[in-house]
Amino acid sequence: VSTGQLPAADQVRACLEQAYGRYRTLDEGTVADYIPALARMPRHHFGLCVVGVDGAVFAVGDAEVEFSIQSISKPFVFALVCHAIGDEAARQKLGVNNTGLPFNSVMAIELNRQRTMNPMVNAGAIATTSLIPGDSADAKWDYIVEGLSRFAGRPLALDAEVYASEAAHNQRNQGIARLLESYDRMYFDPLLATDVYTRQCSLKVTVKDLAV
């Protein structure tokens, strides 16, 4: 993220169009299939967007097609927690270590003597969600929705289908939260925090929202 100015509008627009033209036909990879609702998502949407600090918006392709935010929610919710409790407190409670293991690894928790992870893997992200201000799951959820909507510049809504599908298949995340609780590294009820985390990952955004 830069606090400086973008190049001239024509240059930014030309760069985006060049990148879009170069990669729009790329047909590698697959959509995530560990959640049934995600496996049904169309795989050929492709959009790019750059937003300047002065509000100028440059977009090309499917930049305003909605999709569930998933793990992209992690840095934004971490930002909300840093704002609420301070970055040093967040560092001590959540950790900053690269695990070197998959994003949903249980072994990474056991191998780390502090049992902290970092906010960009599932264990750390669920712990991050547990630190969101609020005495109840609903209060935490409202705080997250309000905060991420403020970041996006518009009200964000839940993708109910994705949430229901993820909630029915999030036993691994529940287990991770329980394990963190056993090491005093969860800061709210582990199952409720996991549910709020599942909901936050199911918020609908566009590429333009993320750029904003």
Side-chain angles (χ1 to χ4, degrees), residues 167-204:
H169 296 83
N170 68 353
Q171 291 84 0
R172 187 180 187 87
N173 280 345
Q174 291 176 7
I176 286 171
R178 284 289 199 191
L179 180 59
L180 288 174
E181 181 190 32
S182 74
Y183 288 121
D184 295 323
R185 287 298 184 176
M186 282 293 293
Y187 310 101
F188 188 66
D189 178 275
L191 297 186
L192 292 178
T194 302
D195 183 67
V196 176
Y197 172 74
T198 304
R199 279 190 272 174
Q200 87 185 34
C201 291
S202 303
L203 281 171
K204 293 187 288 186

Side-chain angles (χ1 to χ4, degrees), residues 155-174:
L156 300 181
L158 181 74
D159 187 320
E161 179 188 2
V162 170
Y163 166 63
S165 186
E166 291 208 40
H169 296 83
N170 68 353
Q171 291 84 0
R172 187 180 187 87
N173 280 345
Q174 291 176 7

